[in-house]
Amino acid sequence: KNQVEQSPQSLIILEGKNCTLQCNYTVSPFSNLRWYKQDTGRGPVSLTIMTFSENTKSNGRYTATLDADTKQSSLHITASQLSDSASYICVVSELNTGFQKLVFGTGTRLLVSP
Amino acid sequence: DVKVTQSSRYLVKRTGEKVFLECVQDMDHENMFWYRQDPGLGLRLIYFSYDVKMKEKGDIPEGYSVSREKKERFSLILESASTNQTSMYLCASSLSLGARKNYEQYFGPGTRLTVT
């Protein structure tokens, strides 16, 4: 069964600190992996998309890595800010002939504390 | 700028009522999606549409139907709302689905539906 698992489920860090969120997946065949940020009560907003051939991609203070061999990804947040408090969702796209089916993780809830 | 809007942010309905959730996108996207999001579960696909009047079932279509009469508008219908349909409903849109393309899905703000 295609699954995406994220860890930790929740995390509290002090403002200014760095953190790393993890994502493991069993989705096959693989098309791409996305990280989304979802503020409370809002829809998810894309941070990065990585294909099989990409092993790192940055978006400002967010850096995502992908190891397609071990089927693992991480999202590193540098110099955290209060506005980084949100849920971060890892999403893997399954490649098939018809369309890209997205498999969503349950998210990591990050709280940045002053 | 990309925009997906949903008709209501919060909605409270009674069991057995017929419920309409509306979604509009202004990006001329071919594809539109309805998901529901529940605590402890990832987003789950209810229905999607790849063209006007075309629809495909997602993973959890039971108890729902959809309508796409115009390209920019995709409606989710709960024929007879039940308490287990209390959830956050998210609409998304994207350019044409191609198996080898990584088109972004843009999400609306969500509708939090409570069925009592």
Side-chain angles (χ1 to χ4, degrees):
Chain A
K1 183 182 175 184
N2 286 333
Q3 285 187 310
V4 175
E5 294 184 351
Q6 294 185 242
S7 62
Q9 279 191 326
S10 61
L11 183 62
I12 302 174
I13 62 172
L14 290 175
E15 186 179 11
K17 297 295 186 183
N18 303 336
C19 68
T20 300
L21 313 180
Q22 301 290 343
C23 173
N24 296 332
Y25 63 92
T26 60
V27 177
S28 181
F30 174 89
S31 177
N32 57 73
L33 185 144
R34 312 158 187 230
W35 282 94
Y36 283 86
K37 177 186 179 189
Q38 185 176 22
D39 292 315
T40 301
R42 300 286 178 178
V45 175
S46 177
L47 295 175
T48 63
I49 298 179
M50 288 183 292
T51 61
F52 184 89
S53 59
E54 297 173 296
N55 54 25
T56 187
K57 186 166 271 191
S58 291
N59 178 357
R61 294 179 297 101
Y62 301 100
T63 299
T65 64
L66 173 65
D67 185 336
D69 291 332
T70 62
K71 299 187 177 182
Q72 296 180 325
S73 176
S74 65
L75 180 69
H76 186 74
I77 304 174
T78 304
S80 61
Q81 300 176 358
L82 298 179
S83 59
D84 292 332
S85 295
S87 286
Y88 292 84
I89 304 173
C90 177
V91 185
V92 179
S93 179
E94 178 186 332
L95 179 69
N96 62 44
T97 56
F99 63 96
Q100 287 194 21
K101 176 179 168 61
L102 301 185
V103 183
F104 291 79
T106 55
T108 292
R109 185 176 294 277
L110 174 66
L111 176 64
V112 180
S113 175
Chain B
D1 209 14
V2 164
K3 193 120 184 185
V4 179
T5 57
Q6 296 183 226
S7 52
S8 306
R9 292 298 311 280
Y10 301 94
L11 209 51
V12 180
K13 295 292 182 180
R14 293 190 180 278
T15 301
E17 278 193 83
K18 190 168 187 176
V19 182
F20 293 86
L21 302 183
E22 304 284 339
C23 175
V24 178
Q25 50 94 5
D26 66 357
M27 297 161 285
D28 202 34
H29 283 170
E30 291 85 3
N31 307 299
M32 297 187 74
F33 309 82
W34 275 107
Y35 295 92
R36 64 178 282 177
Q37 185 177 31
D38 300 290
L41 300 174
L43 273 74
R44 293 178 292 168
L45 181 64
I46 304 172
Y47 268 98
F48 70 97
S49 168
Y50 53 89
D51 201 352
V52 175
K53 296 191 186 293
M54 306 304 289
K55 62 185 179 185
E56 291 285 342
K57 292 180 180 179
D59 297 320
I60 51 164
E62 297 78 19
Y64 303 95
S65 62
V66 290
S67 171
R68 190 151 180 217
E69 297 297 318
K70 293 185 178 181
K71 190 176 185 180
E72 67 272 17
R73 189 179 297 270
F74 192 34
S75 302
L76 180 69
I77 303 156
L78 286 66
E79 295 290 341
S80 178
S82 63
T83 55
N84 63 14
Q85 292 179 309
T86 292
S87 186
M88 171 73 119
Y89 289 88
L90 290 159
C91 175
S93 73
S94 76
L95 287 169
S96 181
L97 290 165
R100 297 189 184 281
K101 295 192 183 294
N102 305 317
Y103 287 123
E104 186 60 73
Q105 279 195 22
Y106 297 91
F107 286 85
T111 295
R112 185 163 294 281
L113 171 67
T114 302
V115 182
T116 62

